[in-house]
Amino acid sequence: MVDVRRVRPSWFRGQSGDVWRETPPAFVKGECDDFNFDAAQVFNRFSGEGSWDRWLQDGTLILSDIFGHLRGVETEIHSEFDIGPQQLIYQDPILRALTASARTDKHWRLIAYPYITKNAATSQKTGFLHLDLDLKRCQTEGLGKNMVQSSVSLTDENDKGCTLVIPGFHKCFQEWVSSNQDVIDTKVSRHSNTDMKGMYTVEDRVVFGKPVPTPCPAWGIRLSRSDIIHGSTDEGTRLRLVIFPSFTAINDDHKLMENPDCMNWEELFSCHNDLVCLPQALVGLKEWTEPDVIFERNILLGPDDNRAPKLAENIRKQLVDSYKPLHPLMEIEERHAFGDRSPFVENNVARGEDEDVELDEDRDDEEESERVSHSNGQDV
């Protein structure tokens, strides 16, 4: 057995606890590795007993306080949540474990695909309704059927400004598709999602369910299957800050993603910054065949309910400890590079985050759900 602590001392730097007192096994990079894990056990481990059953029932789930450890850097995150904070989210081991478990294929070789953040001001038009699937390609190629969408709320939401979902829609998804096959066949595949405006009718809402508001508390997350119709309320009564991670599976060649139209591994590599070991694979800075990554994966997704949380806690501590001293430098560099367009300039405006405002009388619920608009030109 190789003396790993001597050969790779960086693996152990800054770590504590019995997770790191054992010598990792010696892997050969690129060797075949048939790995399986208990999705229900891992999911409940990090989200609470009974969460897995609720996930299977609804296909969508809000988990409170998953990112509660970031409250210590709340001021820094709220001053600029477009770049640095996204890395804290993308490289989080618990979010990655929950996502891998929630996927129907249990694919664990994931990478964070640069997606989108939402900075929705009071009364800003944000309504839309869609599926995170290209319905034609999902049917013919299976494209997107295993993906899980997640969102991380940085502010407390209410039922006027939050995500809309149809809980349990995954159970009737195939029936709904069959009833709309003629419409689906006429659509031109242009995007990896399908706009529900005009497609999900008033009759559909009676038969298959109506979109309902699902406000998420600050530092909580929402997970949803790709076959769950979801969207956003039309306009909110308070500031809404959300990060939308998007973990996509890496193919066996470690080059292409499960969606061949997306950026490849090398292109994603250039989009991310360097922090710690296992999360480095989540942002493309290490490959999933690296022995240290495999060692950590085996613990995080393994059967030991004591070691896995300790490892996750250690990784999270390293991430936050790396972020805090770099934040002032990030502000200097961003202000220099972007001037008045820097997120720091925009977010320096005082905000009443916890203060609701009264809006005009609500539109009819059906009309509001059908209406689709865009926030900053993006749907999430």
Side-chain angles (χ1 to χ4, degrees):
M1 183 69 71
V2 176
D3 184 353
V4 181
R5 190 181 292 272
R6 178 181 61 81
V7 176
R8 294 285 184 88
S10 63
W11 292 3
F12 301 88
R13 189 173 299 131
Q15 301 288 354
S16 60
D18 61 359
V19 166
W20 296 101
R21 298 184 190 280
E22 302 175 25
T23 302
F27 291 94
V28 176
K29 180 179 177 181
E31 70 174 87
C32 294
D33 179 36
D34 295 327
F35 178 75
N36 196 14
F37 65 97
D38 186 329
Q41 180 185 5
V42 173
F43 198 89
N44 282 332
R45 170 192 298 159
F46 292 116
S47 60
E49 199 63 35
S51 296
W52 179 251
D53 290 337
R54 289 190 289 128
W55 170 253
L56 296 180
Q57 175 67 27
D58 292 340
T60 183
L61 192 64
I62 288 179
L63 301 172
S64 301
D65 215 40
I66 292 294
F67 282 94
H69 68 290
L70 296 182
R71 284 192 176 90
V73 287
E74 179 175 4
T75 300
E76 291 87 345
I77 288 175
H78 281 205
S79 70
E80 184 276 314
F81 80 108
D82 295 301
I83 298 177
Q86 287 189 54
Q87 292 301 314
L88 290 175
I89 303 299
Y90 293 158
Q91 302 188 59
D92 187 76
I94 291 180
L95 181 58
R96 177 266 175 139
L98 290 170
T99 303
S101 302
R103 288 178 59 100
T104 53
D105 60 356
K106 297 200 304 183
H107 197 111
W108 53 268
R109 291 193 307 273
L110 305 174
I111 189 169
Y113 192 89
Y115 195 33
I116 189 173
T117 62
K118 174 170 284 189
N119 183 346
T122 299
S123 303
Q124 183 176 350
K125 303 295 184 181
T126 58
F128 72 92
L129 198 68
H130 72 194
L131 269 169
D132 280 332
L133 290 171
D134 177 327
L135 288 173
K136 291 181 72 173
R137 296 186 66 185
C138 179
Q139 288 181 290
T140 58
E141 307 169 32
L143 184 67
K145 67 178 183 179
N146 296 307
M147 292 193 68
V148 173
Q149 193 210 47
S150 58
S151 62
V152 181
S153 295
L154 306 182
T155 52
D156 287 321
E157 299 176 349
N158 60 22
D159 59 4
K160 296 292 186 181
C162 64
T163 296
L164 299 171
V165 298
I166 304 180
F169 185 77
H170 62 301
K171 295 181 177 180
C172 55
F173 171 73
Q174 290 299 338
E175 181 183 353
W176 177 82
V177 167
S178 297
S179 67
N180 287 271
Q181 193 63 60
D182 291 343
V183 178
I184 294 170
D185 289 342
T186 62
K187 282 189 169 290
V188 178
S189 297
R190 294 175 179 169
H191 307 288
S192 57
N193 56 46
T194 301
D195 186 356
M196 290 292 102
K197 181 181 180 181
M199 280 198 69
Y200 200 66
T201 64
V202 173
E203 291 77 13
D204 287 335
R205 294 164 196 263
V206 174
V207 176
F208 302 109
K210 181 179 177 180
V212 296
T214 56
C216 185
W219 312 114
I221 69 171
R222 179 184 59 83
L223 299 173
S224 291
R225 292 171 50 118
S226 59
D227 49 7
I228 292 286
I229 292 179
H230 66 279
S232 177
T233 51
D234 190 59
E235 56 185 320
T237 60
R238 59 170 65 173
L239 175 71
R240 186 180 174 204
L241 301 179
V242 187
I243 292 176
F244 295 86
S246 182
F247 290 119
T248 186
I250 307 171
N251 291 345
D252 291 339
D253 61 7
H254 218 291
K255 293 180 180 179
L256 299 178
M257 304 298 108
E258 59 186 319
N259 184 346
D261 298 331
C262 291
M263 289 189 289
N264 60 34
W265 185 87
E266 291 184 354
E267 291 168 328
L268 290 173
F269 171 88
S270 65
C271 295
H272 296 290
N273 296 318
D274 187 6
L275 282 176
V276 298
C277 177
L278 183 148
Q280 285 182 345
L282 290 170
V283 294
L285 298 170
K286 277 181 176 277
E287 296 184 5
W288 283 111
T289 51
E290 297 278 356
D292 47 347
V293 174
I294 292 175
F295 175 65
E296 290 184 348
R297 176 212 63 187
N298 290 348
I299 297 174
L300 187 66
L301 299 179
D304 195 323
D305 288 331
N306 293 315
R307 297 177 75 204
K310 289 180 181 178
L311 174 61
E313 182 181 355
N314 284 339
I315 293 173
R316 282 180 155 187
K317 184 177 185 303
Q318 286 189 51
L319 286 166
V320 173
D321 288 348
S322 299
Y323 171 71
K324 289 173 70 174
L326 289 175
H327 184 266
L329 176 60
M330 252 187 341
E331 179 171 2
I332 293 171
E333 292 296 327
E334 280 209 13
R335 284 178 180 270
H336 175 73
F338 299 107
D340 291 340
R341 293 182 293 111
S342 167
F344 285 96
V345 174
E346 179 182 338
N347 292 325
N348 271 349
V349 178
R351 310 166 184 227
E353 293 183 17
D354 299 321
E355 187 174 323
D356 288 340
V357 299
E358 293 295 328
L359 298 177
D360 294 336
E361 186 176 348
D362 290 341
R363 298 177 178 84
D364 178 77
D365 287 344
E366 297 294 350
E367 178 185 346
E368 178 174 340
S369 296
E370 287 286 358
R371 187 178 172 281
V372 178
S373 59
H374 301 282
S375 172
N376 298 325
Q378 298 287 349
D379 285 345
V380 290

